[in-house]
Amino acid sequence: MQKRQFAIISMTTFGYKPDPLRIVQLSISKLRGDYYEPIFTTNINPEERLPNYIQQRTGLTDTILLKAPTFSEVANTILEELENHILVGHNASFLHYALQSEFKYLGYSFKTPQLCTVRLAKKLIPNMTSYELPYLSGVLNIPYTASNTLNDDNAVAILFQRLILLDDDEMVISKFLEPKVEKEHIAPKNIAYQKLNALPNSPGIYKFQNKKGEVIYVGKAKDIKKRVLSHFYNTTEKEITLCDATFHIDFETTGSELIALLREADLIDKLDPPFNYIQKKSYVTYHIVPQKNRKGIIQLKIERRPFEHSPTEIFLKRGDAIKRLIELTEKFRLCPLQTGLKSKLGRCTHGEYNECDGVCTGEEEIGLYNFKVENALNYLNNENDNYVLFEKGRTKEERGFVLILHGVYQGYGFLDNSQSVSNLEHLKDMLNPKKHSYHTAKIISSYTKRNPWKIKPLENVG
């Protein structure tokens, strides 16, 4: 071990991959005699609001972090301390990614050798119930306090020392530190490998084209170059056939994976490439539709039908449509019998929904009730889910955005960071209009459920 120098790192971050992570606490320890001692520990001002869950877990506040240095102010110190050292940490790849995110935010690249104590422990202490740091600390009698980054650093240092003692002749550590061997690629038959190697390492979409220039496959990627090369590494019959038919590769950078997904769906729908199979299936969606009964009462019902482009809200699951129908029933005092939420004949029962005004028993005039239904439909189609999702831009000077009006995807665009957005018209001026489809609806629904904090209602945009 004398030939190698290790720097043990612990940190507190917020944000989620693949978006940039922000570091708010950082500790670096190095070997001092027989012990690893902290040589650099600091809070870091992320220059944005601190999420509540971080405040609750750590006791940090925006006021505390305002007094701390920014990452740019400690960046040189971090680089100096890590120079000629191997980064050691519990989930080291995540810690490395967090540092990469912060340095990339400043416009610099960062890469250093890393050694993960999770992987080491799995190899040297097999068959443990868990390899999370709290569990290992408890089993191995290592002092550990989850809310304290310094104690976390101490726990990793002690764990690492014990793992070293279990590694006879440094065999396991040496194996983990061996440079990764690049996959052997299949030499493209029709494309110069230099052209593939020149593709960008950025989020976006790529298009495989045949000899006539026709698009035969569209894909999206967080890293265009890496994803395209993976097609040529793949030896399945499908991939070999695709690569043999490809003579040219075009691409578009999008700045974010979300916009890449939406752009991919748009191009597949528009170009119908022969090697894209999944989006060619017929998909069904759920719609809330009006229908008059024999008495002239407008009833609302949920219909399941093949997706067709519609300017109104669609639902991917029946449960989502039912939730919206309940909302309309309560908000506009509709009759649960006429919206299909109740099936009992006679006057509908109360309790679960707001009180019905009696159209079901003739106490409410049908014309007045139908007017309420029309207002509900107008609300459904025109007043729900107006928001924007801001994303990373293609360059540091811009940001991307995705616009949703009345629950319907409108398209995406890019704004210069110097531009202020004061109203919807400003966004529409920069919008690249796109088609609302089953796939775009599914992409946006999945994204907003995973990232609810990214939803910016239009009245809050400014």
Side-chain angles (χ1 to χ4, degrees), residues 180-240:
K180 291 184 179 179
V181 178
E182 294 292 329
K183 289 183 181 178
E184 183 180 354
H185 70 276
I186 301 171
K189 289 185 177 180
N190 311 310
I191 304 173
Y193 189 72
Q194 290 83 355
K195 288 187 177 181
L196 294 180
N197 209 37
L199 291 169
N201 295 104
S202 309
I205 61 95
Y206 55 92
K207 294 176 281 187
F208 283 13
Q209 299 173 340
N210 64 14
K211 198 171 186 178
K212 297 179 181 179
E214 300 165 333
V215 176
I216 58 175
Y217 181 80
V218 175
K220 72 88 191 172
K222 290 186 284 186
D223 182 318
I224 293 174
K225 177 181 176 181
K226 185 176 180 180
R227 182 67 185 98
V228 168
L229 289 175
S230 73
H231 286 283
F232 291 92
Y233 296 145
N234 199 314
T235 57
T236 63
E237 183 178 350
K238 172 188 167 185
E239 291 288 357
I240 292 173

Side-chain angles (χ1 to χ4, degrees), residues 257-267 402 409 411-412 439-441 443-444:
E257 187 180 12
L258 173 60
I259 294 180
L261 282 165
L262 294 169
R263 181 59 174 150
E264 177 195 38
D266 173 58
L267 286 172
V402 175
Y409 168 59
Y412 65 86
H439 295 284
T440 58
I443 289 165
I444 292 168

Side-chain angles (χ1 to χ4, degrees), residues 329-389:
T329 300
E330 294 181 340
K331 186 176 182 68
F332 294 92
R333 296 181 65 86
L334 303 183
C335 175
L337 287 172
Q338 309 305 328
T339 57
L341 299 174
K342 292 285 186 182
S343 58
K344 184 178 179 181
L345 296 178
R347 185 181 177 89
C348 57
T349 56
H350 302 151
E352 189 174 351
Y353 308 101
N354 287 344
E355 184 173 349
C356 168
D357 291 325
V359 73
C360 48
T361 56
E363 298 173 39
E364 181 180 23
E365 184 184 334
I366 292 177
L368 180 59
Y369 178 80
N370 286 348
F371 180 71
K372 293 195 299 185
V373 176
E374 289 170 359
N375 284 338
L377 289 170
N378 183 61
Y379 174 83
L380 176 68
N381 297 334
N382 296 295
E383 297 182 31
N384 268 313
D385 291 340
N386 295 295
Y387 61 89
V388 61
L389 300 167

Side-chain angles (χ1 to χ4, degrees), residues 47 74 192 388 406 443 455:
E47 301 179 274
V74 298
V388 61
H406 321 308
I443 289 165
I455 298 173

